[in-house]
Amino acid sequence: MESPIAAVTSMPSGPALDTPLYPPIQAISVVKRDGSLVPFDRDRIRVALSKAFQATAGEVKDLNQTADDLTGKVEEQLIKRTGRNLNIEEIQDQVEIILMKAGYYEVAREYILYREERTRLREQKVQVPDQPRPLQVRLPDNSFEDLNWDLVQASLEVVCQGLERVDPMPICEILRKDVYDGISIDDLRTAQIMAARSLVESEPGYSYVTARLVLRQLKAEVLPFVCGPDHPLSEDTTAATGRALYRTYFPLYVKKGIEMDLLQPSLINFDLPRLAEALVPDRDSNFQFLGLQTLYDRYFLHSGGTRIELPQAFFMRVAMGLAQAEEDPNAKAIEFYHLLSSFDFMCSTPTLFNSGTPNPQLSSCFLSTVSDDLEGIFKAIKDNALLSKFSGGLGNDWSQVRGLGSHIKGTNGESQGVIPFLKVANDTAVAVNQGGKRKGAVCAYLETWHVDINEFLDLRKNTGDDRRRTHDMNTACWIPDLFMERVASHSTWTLFSPDEVPDLHDLTGLKFRERYLHYEAEAAAGHIKVFKTIMAQDLWRRMLTMLFETGHPWITFKDACNVRSPQQHDGMVHSSNLCTEITLNSNVKEVAVCNLGSVNLARHIRRDVGMAPTLDKEKMQRTVRTAIRMLDNVIDINFYTIPETRRSNMRHRPIGLGLMGFQDVLYKMKIPYASSQAVEFADQSMEALSYYAIQASSELARERTPYATFAGSLWDQGILPIDSLDLLDQARNRQLEVDRNSTMDWSTLRRQVQNDGMRNSNVMAIAPTATIANICGVSPSIEPTFRNLYVKSNMSGDFTVINEHLVRDLKALDLWDSVMISDLKIHDGSVGPIRRVPVALKHLYATAFEMDPTWLIEAGARRQKWLDQSQSLNLYVTGTSGQVLDDLYRLAWKRGLKTTYYLRTQSATQVEKSTLTTTDGRLNAVPVEQGPQSLLHIKTAVEPGAFSDPELICNLDDEACEACQ
């Protein structure tokens, strides 16, 4: 019989079929301080609450009823501890939290003092204890064995190796409180993971410890399933480690995946021993808890809920899928693998999901144009359903559909306008819900001259006729420059129905201006039937009001997207995508497709001895060259749901290379986000990324031929993104206000592009990267820090997120202690109000809502000058000033931004002002999904408001948005 700790690290998890999400409270036992179990008794809580109220001076109208109600709320929280036994301290923690949430602060204080007094008395009590019987562990065969604490500690010492400032002893101390006599192997595993994660808020290094414990559990789940129950790896996962483990497991994994129809049969043609030898097992230790748990819950292939992938096999599977068509697929798979597994670059979520699988739908978002006839409208809705089925995010251009009151020639009736069809599109997205994985995601775009624009602005309101509301659909305004000029000049603006002004949809810049003025004259002469004349500023104010109140519609600029588009010779950009970073042509014959990936900027910083950190341009060039090749391969490998997507992708071959980890780099360089130095670094880093991306695509064109519609493009004319700024400036009568400086040799690159062509019509776009940034353990995209300490909520559960850069700097000043942690909670993750934090650190670690949002615009403008597409740019605003919003979005237009994304406003939700040190709720494990489960299905039931902001967190990691990655 093996020892219990060996079992913890080697035995597979047994199935837990038909396990209810939450067990009845009567089924939960309580672990007393001596380790014994007693049944849960709610009356003990009610009596304790009654005594706490009686001990205070305040009076309660109905003491018994109040105590009973609060007891019920405590039960609601305890019942979420699904399938576990609770310890006394945990129950008392919940009583304290519920009292404070209910506003009974004096009672809570009395209760806290009572607990402290009882603890003191227990410590003072002197007795000669009997030699206790060792706790027993229940093994999978229902036999029992003594729990050996020395082996437990030794096991924890192994997972702490190589990490600074972490120690197995605090984990053991927490573990001793949580284990009980007769604990199962599965519960002992979970207890170790949850004990380690509860320490993350005090020391970020425990996030890596927790991830390593999760990895142990993953191996215990994967290896018996893949290798077979009698294989040596299945009997003891410690029998082989590192390269030896992967060398044995990887070929078996590929064969098993093919047998189960989870992997493409063609993967068997790779040199599997060679690929297995190339795997770097040590990289398994680079994950933080959030990253590995996210991979487990959403990315690793599984059968019936049992995973078959270990992390390095996962990365190699993605690499193999992208390398199949290469001349030397084994060498390229290894090259791609190293880029992914090192976190230097990460593909978007659909590519990670599906590369190497039987249905390789690898693209992120799709942009379509809806035509003005019933057949075209419902074809677009059908296309939405098919694209959504395979996890596509959708951007629809509805500006061609005629408006309310316009004439229908076929029936001689009047149109109901675009709004009813948007309602159908909204409900279709909800119904298809991305193949049963998560709710569908779609964004509707409408030009601001459309006669239905006012009703469009109301789509996300919670009041009014629900038949004219789309509660699940995102919306965005597609705004021409002429409208912004009319707003500035306090002039009128005319709304039209597109059936009477059909060419406005396909015009931009000066041509749009000329034709729009013509139609205004026609309307004034009575030659146009459906139109409205309003004040441009009134419409603008209403757009901003709805944006502030409902989060929609987003503000995007038509002319900036089109005048600077490399593909303006072959069509029009009629909308952006779901996350506003893609600006590709679309029409009724072509649905644009974006294929995304992001460079991890934090992995491209070099610090030479005695020198300040700098951007490592040589490494970036190598990374970008390989990344562009990978993204280009996506186009040929991709599974296309509808023919319009294949036609578009094959003709133009667009890709979107972006970046993430921008905020992490600023921390490393000691540069506050709200500073001119950050703006300059945004400029320089994006210039380098742009240069190397264009260079790599041109080199690929020399090797593989340019894309089909290269002739006549801006690329062909030697006009690069930095040069196209002059085109926009001309269209705006030289009113564009943006820096034009550069530092690299663009003349040489222009000649190369004209000589060799471009492999891709578009090469750059900065996506939100919320999920892939979690995997890599860096800040998402170009986002500033949301808070320095909070609880992040996503599909994998709730995770304590703490700014490890801040912790490092505070430790260097000997300022990191329990008081600092409490202060961060009290001040919602802000160091600004904490007196003992130096001013320099307050500036460096200012959070998103503590900085002037114009800095975000200025940094975005510097990036935009180098981008051939756009960026997902969130703006953070405190207060309710309409003037602030007006100034902010007008500045975005003046600076030449193509699009903006979410407007984040400060929510009323506040950090839980709790005295508890483990409010992230250790051992509050509930499964992410019902059915066959592993102990890796960990989702902490964090108390609402416990240093979190659910409203904002949802938007920062939008699980419905495929390009949120």
Side-chain angles (χ1 to χ4, degrees), residues 33-212:
R33 290 186 176 87
D34 62 1
S36 62
L37 295 178
V38 296
F40 176 82
D41 184 356
R42 81 185 305 273
D43 284 340
R44 290 180 177 270
I45 298 175
R46 185 180 58 78
V47 170
L49 284 168
S50 297
K51 288 183 176 180
F53 274 101
Q54 291 168 356
T56 61
E59 294 185 1
V60 178
K61 186 175 181 180
D62 189 342
L63 176 60
N64 290 333
Q65 184 61 48
T66 301
D68 202 56
D69 291 345
L70 293 173
T71 300
K73 292 180 180 180
V74 172
E75 277 189 295
E76 287 177 12
Q77 295 303 317
L78 295 177
I79 205 171
K80 294 179 182 178
R81 274 61 177 163
T82 183
R84 289 192 309 100
N85 296 314
L86 304 168
N87 62 54
I88 293 290
E89 297 294 334
E90 192 172 6
I91 296 173
Q92 292 180 343
D93 286 352
Q94 288 304 317
V95 173
E96 183 180 326
I97 289 174
I98 294 299
L99 282 170
M100 286 189 289
K101 284 186 175 179
Y104 296 114
Y105 301 111
E106 287 299 319
V107 180
R109 181 176 180 275
E110 196 66 32
Y111 187 76
I112 293 167
L113 293 175
Y114 169 78
R115 290 181 65 184
E116 291 177 350
E117 177 64 15
R118 297 297 298 176
T119 300
R120 187 182 63 80
L121 291 174
R122 281 195 301 272
E123 291 173 350
Q124 287 181 349
K125 192 172 182 180
V126 179
Q127 62 178 10
V128 180
D130 297 329
Q131 188 67 27
R133 180 178 64 84
L135 296 179
Q136 296 275 295
V137 177
R138 179 165 55 85
L139 302 177
D141 61 1
N142 286 323
S143 62
F144 290 86
E145 184 173 304
D146 290 349
L147 175 58
N148 188 327
W149 282 107
D150 291 336
L151 287 178
V152 171
Q153 182 176 335
S155 172
L156 291 172
E157 287 174 351
V158 171
V159 297
C160 291
Q161 286 178 357
L163 295 173
E164 296 181 1
R165 306 187 186 91
V166 299
D167 191 316
M169 293 310 297
I171 305 176
C172 285
E173 290 173 8
I174 296 171
L175 202 58
R176 287 180 183 274
K177 298 177 182 178
D178 292 330
V179 299
Y180 53 89
D181 196 29
I183 189 172
S184 69
I185 287 294
D186 285 354
D187 283 350
L188 185 56
R189 290 174 180 162
T190 304
Q192 290 186 69
I193 293 172
M194 303 308 287
R197 73 176 288 176
S198 70
L199 296 168
V200 171
E201 69 174 44
S202 60
E203 171 48 60
Y206 284 105
S207 181
Y208 295 93
V209 174
T210 309
R212 294 176 183 185

Side-chain angles (χ1 to χ4, degrees), residues 250 266-276 278 316 319-320 322-338:
F250 183 75
S266 57
L267 297 192
I268 200 68
N269 298 324
F270 280 85
D271 186 342
L272 299 183
R274 178 183 173 186
L275 299 189
M316 184 59 85
M320 292 163 72
L322 295 177
Q324 291 183 83
E326 292 280 357
E327 191 172 312
D328 185 348
N330 290 296
K332 286 301 178 184
I334 292 171
E335 180 183 344
F336 297 167
Y337 159 78
H338 284 302

Side-chain angles (χ1 to χ4, degrees), residues 21 76 142 213-214 384 405 476 514 549 555 573 611 676 720 766 871 916:
L21 185 60
E76 287 177 12
N142 286 323
L213 290 169
V214 169
N384 278 1
E514 178 182 332
E549 291 182 356
I555 304 299
V573 182
M611 302 292 289
S676 57
L720 304 186
I766 301 177
Q871 55 193 310
L916 304 182

Side-chain angles (χ1 to χ4, degrees), residues 355-403:
S355 181
T357 69
N359 288 313
Q361 197 300 101
L362 311 181
S363 297
S364 299
C365 283
F366 303 87
L367 291 69
S368 66
T369 289
V370 183
S371 59
D372 184 35
D373 60 81
L374 208 57
E375 182 178 346
I377 290 170
F378 280 95
K379 182 185 185 305
I381 292 173
K382 175 187 175 183
D383 289 346
N384 278 1
L386 291 172
L387 293 168
S388 183
K389 175 182 178 181
F390 292 97
S391 299
L394 311 169
N396 297 152
D397 156 37
W398 288 87
S399 295
Q400 283 192 125
V401 178
R402 68 191 61 199

